[in-house]
Amino acid sequence: MSSYNAVLARNTDNAPKDLGPYSQTVAFSHYNNFSAQLPVDPKTGKLVSGGIKEQAEQCFKNIKAIVESINHVMSDVVKITVFVKNIKDIDAVDEMYKSFFPAYVPARTIAAVSALPMEALVQVEALISNGEGTIPNEPQTANLIKLTNNTPNAPMNLLSTQTVAFSHYNNLSAQLPVDPISGRLVTGGVKEQTVQCLKNIKEILQSIDVSFDDVVKVNIFIKNISDISSVNKVYTAFFPDSSIARAAAYLPARTIIAVSALPMDALVQIEAVVSHGDGTPPQAVEDRHGLIIEANNTVNAPISSLHTQTVAFSHYNHLSAQLPLDPKTGALVSGGIKEQTQQCLKNIKAIIESIDHALDDVVKVNIFLKDISDIDSVDAVYTTFFPGGIPARRIVGVPALPNAALIQIDAVVANEEGTPPKA
């Protein structure tokens, strides 16, 4: 990595440290990517006593401590992701959440997973604006502002904003299959619910004059792993969205996450990261597509007809989740969790190198495990790829993974050179 827009990893003693090979926050360009925060007391390194309220409060305290350690404030939070062990705990989490976000509310995603590290009941992560940027951005860019937006054509929530834009990205709250008029789940099964989720996303994007062609990354949370084929049938009706995208065969990066439960007992929930070509003020106004999306696949990693391996826009590359598949055979590698972890990371490394980047450019890693007790085995392999433990990181236990895999990993990677304006 050169000194141009350098990756900036930071830690503070006021939040838990040394819980794993990762940094508390990694800044690059105009975003700070936080590691998921567990309800751990930074002084003792242990879970706080009490139940879900106490644990949720500690998670947010840890986030606030990290935010303040880098001279930011909680209103700089763009997106919050909450994973709970029990979906019924959402109300208790919300009570704590409101005390940390009494006025402005960021975009938000909530899901229940099968397990969390240290047997925690809740884990919270955050994406933070970084107005000043990283080297060599000029100090005056600290005046960059967030743009928040809600439309009545999609479900509204008092505790989240539908989309929050900062610099060259829009970050959307996860959309449930809720009819915006009735406020209730749509009737039908997973196909009908997937349609409604994507309709809601489309309405939000249209309200900010953005199309589906501008979607860079999609995360799909599903209750039943067996529903993937049904979800995919609907998904392909929305992507590609236009004749231009179809001609280019453009598909965003994608991750599918099986969860134990979703709000409102939904079967599916979808979130998206979307390009914001003209940036947020006071960046110079460009044409909407002044910065282009760059999608890339390499034969050295598994290729899918439903997503692109990596999609770059501005100063970030968003990678699709990598399963432990051999790119030559398309089959799961033989062996256990160590072999599968190694293959996932080999695939990520191959994708990154195919776009002339290196593992040192990774700013965030998301790991999904079938068995949360495999963390130590995963770390034994992980540290051979990331010996410095720099990227921010999230680990959750999930009830199932595609292809009956034991592990799945995706990543966000710095793109120091940025994407070029359209010729």
Side-chain angles (χ1 to χ4, degrees):
M1 186 92 198
S2 74
S3 61
Y4 183 84
N5 260 4
V7 169
L8 177 60
R10 289 173 286 188
N11 293 291
T12 174
D13 292 334
N14 295 325
K17 291 171 62 178
D18 304 321
L19 296 181
Y22 53 84
S23 300
Q24 292 169 350
T25 178
V26 178
F28 185 77
S29 188
H30 290 300
Y31 280 96
N32 291 287
N33 299 265
F34 277 27
S35 288
Q37 291 302 299
L38 289 162
V40 171
D41 183 321
K43 295 180 180 178
T44 66
K46 298 179 180 179
L47 289 182
V48 295
S49 58
I52 184 63
K53 287 185 180 179
E54 291 78 9
Q55 289 200 15
E57 182 179 32
Q58 188 62 50
C59 289
F60 287 114
K61 280 183 176 179
N62 291 341
I63 287 173
K64 187 177 182 183
I66 299 169
V67 168
E68 292 177 347
S69 75
I70 57 173
N71 298 317
H72 282 261
V73 293
M74 290 296 279
S75 59
D76 291 329
V77 175
V78 172
K79 175 80 187 292
I80 286 283
T81 302
V82 180
F83 289 106
V84 291
K85 183 72 170 60
N86 188 337
I87 199 69
K88 294 179 181 179
D89 284 338
I90 289 179
D91 288 344
V93 172
D94 283 347
E95 186 177 333
M96 290 297 109
Y97 179 87
K98 287 185 284 189
S99 67
F100 286 85
F101 299 99
Y104 160 75
V105 287
R108 190 173 77 156
T109 293
I110 292 182
V113 292
S114 57
L116 290 167
M118 300 180 71
E119 298 185 355
L121 301 176
V122 60
Q123 178 177 262
V124 183
E125 70 181 57
L127 179 67
I128 317 290
S129 62
N130 189 43
E132 64 274 19
T134 48
I135 300 169
N137 285 316
E138 296 297 329
Q140 63 262 30
T141 59
N143 294 322
L144 284 177
I145 64 171
K146 296 191 307 294
L147 296 177
T148 60
N149 188 77
N150 288 300
T151 173
N153 296 325
M156 298 179 71
N157 189 316
L158 293 175
L159 296 179
S160 64
T161 301
Q162 289 170 354
T163 180
V164 179
F166 188 78
S167 189
H168 288 296
Y169 277 98
N170 294 287
N171 297 271
L172 271 62
S173 289
Q175 292 302 300
L176 288 162
V178 171
D179 182 314
I181 297 175
S182 69
R184 298 177 181 176
L185 289 182
V186 295
T187 57
V190 70
K191 287 185 179 180
E192 292 78 10
Q193 290 198 14
T194 304
V195 167
Q196 189 62 48
C197 291
L198 291 169
K199 279 185 176 179
N200 291 341
I201 289 174
K202 193 165 191 175
E203 290 290 350
I204 294 169
L205 296 185
Q206 288 178 344
S207 74
I208 56 174
D209 193 27
V210 172
S211 75
F212 258 36
D213 292 348
D214 294 319
V215 175
V216 172
K217 176 74 189 294
V218 172
N219 294 318
I220 302 175
F221 301 81
I222 57 173
K223 179 72 168 60
N224 301 307
I225 198 75
S226 60
D227 283 338
I228 287 180
S229 60
S230 296
V231 170
N232 284 340
K233 286 180 181 179
V234 176
Y235 187 84
T236 53
F238 284 81
F239 295 98
D241 183 50
S242 69
S243 58
I244 295 174
R246 286 190 289 274
Y250 172 69
L251 291 163
R254 191 175 80 158
T255 294
I256 292 183
I257 306 148
V259 293
S260 57
L262 289 166
M264 301 180 71
D265 201 27
L267 299 176
V268 62
Q269 173 179 261
I270 304 177
E271 68 179 5
V273 179
V274 184
S275 63
H276 187 67
D278 45 357
T280 52
Q283 290 177 338
V285 176
E286 305 159 354
D287 292 334
R288 170 63 62 179
H289 295 287
L291 296 176
I292 65 170
I293 287 173
E294 291 186 327
N296 188 76
N297 287 306
T298 173
V299 294
N300 295 322
I303 293 176
S304 170
S305 61
L306 293 167
H307 63 249
T308 303
Q309 290 168 352
T310 179
V311 178
F313 184 77
S314 187
H315 289 297
Y316 277 97
N317 293 286
H318 292 264
L319 271 62
S320 291
Q322 293 302 301
L323 289 163
L325 303 177
D326 184 319
K328 295 180 180 178
T329 66
L332 279 179
V333 295
S334 58
I337 186 62
K338 288 187 177 180
E339 291 78 10
Q340 290 199 16
T341 302
Q342 184 176 49
Q343 188 62 50
C344 289
L345 292 170
K346 278 184 177 180
N347 291 341
I348 286 173
K349 186 172 187 281
I351 294 168
I352 291 173
E353 291 178 346
S354 75
I355 54 174
D356 298 322
H357 283 263
L359 287 174
D360 286 347
D361 297 325
V362 175
V363 297
K364 176 76 187 299
V365 173
N366 299 310
I367 300 175
F368 307 92
L369 286 176
K370 181 70 173 64
D371 186 345
I372 201 71
S373 66
D374 282 337
I375 287 179
D376 289 345
S377 296
V378 169
D379 280 346
V381 177
Y382 184 88
T383 52
T384 67
F385 286 81
F386 299 102
I390 295 299
R393 196 173 76 165
R394 167 215 295 171
I395 293 183
V396 296
V398 294
L401 287 165
N403 295 60
L406 300 176
I407 184 171
Q408 173 180 265
I409 305 176
D410 71 18
V412 180
V413 182
N415 188 41
E416 62 182 15
E417 66 275 19
T419 51
K422 183 180 290 184

